[in-house]
Structure formats: C-alpha cells, structure tokens
Amino acid sequence: MTLFPFFKRKTFSRGVHPDANKSTAGNPIRRMPFASRMILPLAQHIGKPAVPLVRAGEEVVRGQPIARADGFLSVPIHAPADGVIESIELKPSARGPWVESIVLRVYEASTQEVRWATPRDVHTLSPREILQAIQDSGMVGLGGAAFPSHAKLAAPPEYKIHTLVVNGCECEPYLTCDHRLMLEYPEDLLDGIRLAMKAVGAERAIIGVEDNKMDAVAAIRAAIEKSGHSACDIDVQAVETKYPQGAEKMLVKSLLGVEVPAGGLPMHIGVVVNNVGTLALLGSLIPQGKGLTERVVTVTGPGIKKPGDYWVPIGTPMRTVLEWAGAADAGEREIILGGPMMGQAVASLDVPVTKGVSGILVFDKLQLESDRKVWPCIKCSECVKACPMGLNPSMLGMLAAQREYESMGSTYHLGDCFECGCCTYVCPSHIPLVQQFRVAKGILRGKAT
Ligand code: SF4
Ligand code: SF4
C-alpha cells in the first residue's frame, strides 16, 4: 500500500513518455484565409458518405448544407465559404484512394460571416432534438476518429449512461489545438458538455486534462465557478502526462479507476467519452444553428516557418495550408496528418483538410528514413512493458512475419490492439509493429466478410 495515496497521480498502467514538442501551445489560435478552391470529400466521417444537394454551377453561401446525411451513421457537409460549385468528381484522399468530392470555387469577396444559420433556444430541446441538432451540424469526433458525434451520444437504452468523460488530454506530441481551445473557449466547452450530458442522460461530467496543461485546468475551473455550476456535476481533473492517456479506455481507467472490458466500449460500463474540441465546437454551433465549416488544426514540425494553431476552413487543400504556414520544399518533407504516434503520412499535397484532421506535421524526410532501418527482434520485451492493453507485441510481430494472422487474432488478442504505436516507439530494432498489426487486422477483416 502506498503511503501517500493523496499525491498519487491519476493514470493507467504502462504507456510511454515521448518528448512533448508542444512549442505552439503558448500562442493564440489564428485564422487562415480562404483558399481559392476547396475540396469537400463526401466521405470524411466513419459511416455512409453524404449525398450531394448541389450541382455544378450552383451558387452557395458559407454554412449552407451542400450534402445531406445518408441515414443514421452519416452527417451532412456545409459550404466552408461563399462561392460556386465547380464540379462533383473523384479527388485524391489522404489515405490514397480517390473519393467523390464537391469542388467549390471560392468568391474573392467571401467573408467569415456565416449567413446560413437558425439560432435556437437549446434549453427547450429534448435529448432526441439535441441529437438531431448535432447530426444536422455535421459534427464528428474532432480528435481524429471522425465518428459521427450524434451516433456516439446515442447509447442504446439498455446502457444507462451515468458519466460523460471529456477528453482534454491531447497526449500526442506536437498537437496543441485542444489545449488552445480549452484556454480560449472554456465557456463554449461547458455549453457543449451540458448539451451532451442532457443528450445521454449523464448526471456528471469529468474533464480529464494532462498535468502539463495546468493553465487549461485553471481556465476551465474558473469557467465552472463563473457559470455557477457545482463541481459535483461538472468537474475537471488533472491526469498524468503520459501517452496514450487520451485513449478512451486509458482515460476511463485513470479518472474512474475502472476497466472497460476487453472487446467492450465505455458505454457498456455507463460511460461516454467525448473530445474537448468536439464539445467546444458543439457548444458554439448548436445554439446558433450553424454547421461545421472550420476547425482548429495544429500546423507545426521542423519544416514549418510559421507554426501555430489555426482555424482552417474544412476543404482547404493541404498545399495551401503549407504555403500559408511557410513550409519550404514540401517535396523534401514528410507530411503527417494527426499526431506522430497515430497519424498517417499524406500521399498527395492535393488532399484537403477534412473534419478529422487535428494536426499537419512537417518532418525532414531524410531524418525519418535514417531512423527507419529495421533490425531483428532482440527479445528485450520493451514492447511488452509499454503496451497499455497488456498485449505481447513481440509475439504478435513474429506471427505477423510468419503470416499467422488467425493465431494473432484468436490466441494473442490482436482485436484489443487500438494501434497506439507505443510498441513501435520503444522498439530498439525499429520493427514497424503497429504497421504490421494494421495489415493483419485488414486481412482478418477481409476474411470475415
Ligand atoms: S499498438 Fe497495439 S500492441 Fe502496440 S502498444 Fe499499442 S495497443 Fe499494444
Ligand atoms: S521491443 Fe522490439 S526488439 Fe524488443 S522484444 Fe519487442 S519487438 Fe523485439
């Protein structure tokens, strides 16, 4: 038994401590101007792609719905600027395949004003009406998952939700967009939390923030006090700065001390987890009856001259963002969308910023390549010690090399791997374990269908 339980930091077992590199945390969010042309993929969320509501040649105004949701697991898309629809055609996506996209030519005179909005009194909305309003706003998980937010909050009736866990960890190195939102928009965050609590029927919300962002904890505490809300129903708590503290299951363990069962979801133990960025935007958009047209993106890395957090209109081509932020010689650089641990390399600079893009990181390609020389496994077990899910990545890696995919799934619980990358990060042999696991999962999924 520890002698000092009161000083023990809230955390989970294992994980890693990568360098934070959060140099952009100290500067206010800036606004990025409109690109002359925006690309809006119909599939920028998990679920069915949206269905176009416009045709080529049609004029639209900022905030106007230009594609509707196709069923429950889908969200609409809104015009990010005033302009004219140029085409609806296949365009490259960040993952590689070309996807159907709406191309908008932006009027030079387009302003930041959103003219398509229907303000509403949120206090009179029922939980079902709140969910509908969230779907109509086009909101998805802005932490990177891009899962439709209304669907995440619509827990089946057999699961009684008692707690909304609000993820303010931002444990990925380099990313600071959530940190800035917590500092600059704590009131919007509280408004979004209240809406989400009502939608799911939760009696309390706990905001978990890593203890390297105590200024954000203070800003939220001050906003709670100012709002007259008691700390009993909305509370903010610091958790240990450790990767992947922001993973749903890890944060639930850290804050509530309970495990989400293997193969289960937080809702199975009465908890729903939402990201601070998503809730802050909901708190702003829902009362105004507006759709999601922009998001905060961290643009940083050694290859960026003007690093910072920016309000970026959804649909802005990556090339335009990088030109604006001063990325020199983009051809010699490696561009990562999201954080360095779980993000993905971009196949083309012509891909746009979509709703799930939290960061654009620019690294030196040559440096990364020299880091990537792969050696045989030396059985050091560092990966086992790092895996927050208690898996055996070394064994999984050996099975992947032998293409023993079934055994990876049935005996070594590959399905519990959520691809955090801790094993790859600590491996002294630079074995691309998480990349192997992604391939294995894809093959197993393919066999199951
Ligand atoms: S990527 Fe998977 S196996 Fe590797 S540490 Fe994370 S959860 Fe464990
Ligand atoms: S960390 Fe790498 S070298 Fe060490 S046991 Fe795991 S796979 Fe092998």
Side-chain angles (χ1 to χ4, degrees):
M1 186 181 139
T2 171
L3 288 173
F4 304 105
F6 298 114
F7 298 109
K8 203 161 173 271
R9 287 187 294 176
K10 289 176 179 283
T11 195
F12 62 95
S13 304
R14 297 179 287 274
V16 294
H17 293 90
D19 289 342
N21 286 311
K22 292 181 184 274
S23 60
T24 49
N27 302 318
I29 304 169
R30 287 173 281 174
R31 194 164 282 282
M32 208 162 261
F34 294 124
S36 56
R37 202 167 258 100
M38 306 278 200
I39 304 160
L40 296 133
L42 297 171
Q44 45 182 304
H45 51 264
I46 289 175
K48 288 181 86 177
V51 179
L53 292 168
V54 290
R55 291 191 185 155
E58 208 171 319
E59 284 193 316
V60 295
V61 296
R62 180 160 149 86
Q64 178 180 338
I66 54 173
R68 64 170 171 80
D70 187 8
F72 178 69
L73 199 58
S74 182
V75 291
I77 294 167
H78 301 77
D82 298 345
V84 61
I85 303 298
E86 202 168 75
S87 61
I88 300 175
E89 59 180 308
L90 291 175
K91 288 282 183 186
S93 72
R95 288 186 189 280
W98 287 45
V99 294
E100 198 168 24
S101 307
I102 298 175
V103 181
L104 172 70
R105 180 156 51 79
V106 178
Y107 289 153
E108 277 184 23
S110 182
T111 67
Q112 298 292 334
E113 187 191 351
V114 175
R115 285 189 273 143
W116 198 286
T118 316
R120 52 164 80 91
D121 179 3
V122 291
H123 301 104
T124 62
L125 297 180
S126 68
R128 187 185 291 265
E129 288 169 331
I130 293 173
L131 292 178
Q132 187 59 57
I134 292 173
Q135 183 176 23
D136 293 344
S137 75
M139 185 60 70
V140 301
L142 299 181
F147 190 82
S149 296
H150 67 283
K152 187 152 191 197
L153 293 170
E158 62 267 33
Y159 301 117
K160 168 89 185 85
I161 303 300
H162 50 76
T163 305
L164 175 72
V165 163
V166 182
N167 182 0
C169 292
E170 200 164 54
C171 57
E172 276 268 13
Y174 289 95
L175 301 187
T176 54
C177 51
D178 283 351
H179 188 175
R180 290 308 316 176
L181 277 169
M182 288 189 280
L183 285 174
E184 296 180 41
Y185 300 91
E187 290 86 8
D188 286 347
L189 172 60
L190 293 185
D191 288 346
I193 289 172
R194 282 181 206 114
L195 279 170
M197 286 172 74
K198 188 169 176 186
V200 297
E203 61 240 21
R204 65 171 177 165
I206 308 176
I207 309 162
V209 181
E210 281 190 338
D211 56 9
N212 61 353
K213 306 175 197 51
M214 293 310 287
D215 52 352
V217 173
I220 296 168
R221 273 204 186 123
I224 292 172
E225 267 172 40
K226 200 168 140 205
S227 75
H229 238 79
S230 90
C232 302
D233 53 9
I234 301 182
D235 190 17
V236 54
Q237 296 185 12
V239 292
E240 185 190 357
T241 298
K242 181 165 75 164
Y243 181 85
Q245 188 69 260
E248 287 195 352
K249 292 184 178 182
M250 307 304 117
L251 188 56
V252 169
K253 174 81 173 92
S254 297
L255 288 174
L256 306 179
V258 289
E259 305 260 2
V260 178
L265 295 170
M267 75 165 80
H268 298 146
I269 56 165
V271 178
V272 165
V273 184
N274 256 239
N275 161 268
V276 284
T278 309
L279 292 170
L281 266 283
L282 282 178
S284 161
L285 295 176
I286 300 301
Q288 300 181 72
K290 290 181 181 173
L292 180 65
T293 57
E294 59 187 1
R295 64 155 299 152
V296 181
V297 180
T298 305
V299 186
T300 188
I304 290 284
K305 288 185 189 149
K306 289 191 283 179
D309 289 297
Y310 294 94
W311 283 107
V312 181
I314 307 289
T316 306
M318 212 63 67
R319 191 182 301 282
T320 309
V321 174
L322 294 180
E323 278 168 9
W324 210 84
D329 307 324
E332 300 300 314
R333 311 280 172 172
E334 173 123 350
I335 319 283
I336 307 265
L337 291 191
M341 301 294 284
M342 290 186 81
Q344 59 177 123
V346 187
S348 155
L349 286 185
D350 295 323
V351 303
V353 169
T354 51
K355 295 178 181 181
V357 173
S358 52
I360 303 173
L361 311 183
V362 181
F363 294 106
D364 186 332
K365 205 175 223 170
L366 294 175
Q367 175 66 41
L368 286 179
E369 273 165 14
S370 68
D371 287 348
R372 278 180 188 151
K373 187 160 171 46
V374 177
W375 301 92
C377 173
I378 55 168
K379 310 273 191 301
C380 64
S381 79
E382 287 302 312
C383 55
V384 179
K385 285 187 242 165
C387 178
M389 294 303 290
L391 303 178
N392 186 335
S394 163
M395 178 58 81
L396 283 166
M398 275 190 276
L399 291 170
Q402 294 159 11
R403 302 188 181 178
E404 299 273 353
Y405 302 122
E406 274 79 13
S407 177
M408 290 174 76
S410 58
T411 312
Y412 291 94
H413 310 286
L414 178 66
D416 287 338
C417 166
F418 64 102
E419 300 169 22
C420 66
C422 288
C423 50
T424 308
Y425 176 78
V426 295
C427 179
S429 294
H430 300 159
I431 299 172
L433 294 161
V434 68
Q435 290 82 351
Q436 293 176 344
F437 303 160
R438 276 187 203 127
V439 171
K441 284 182 179 185
I443 289 169
L444 288 175
R445 267 197 303 272
K447 285 187 178 170
T449 53

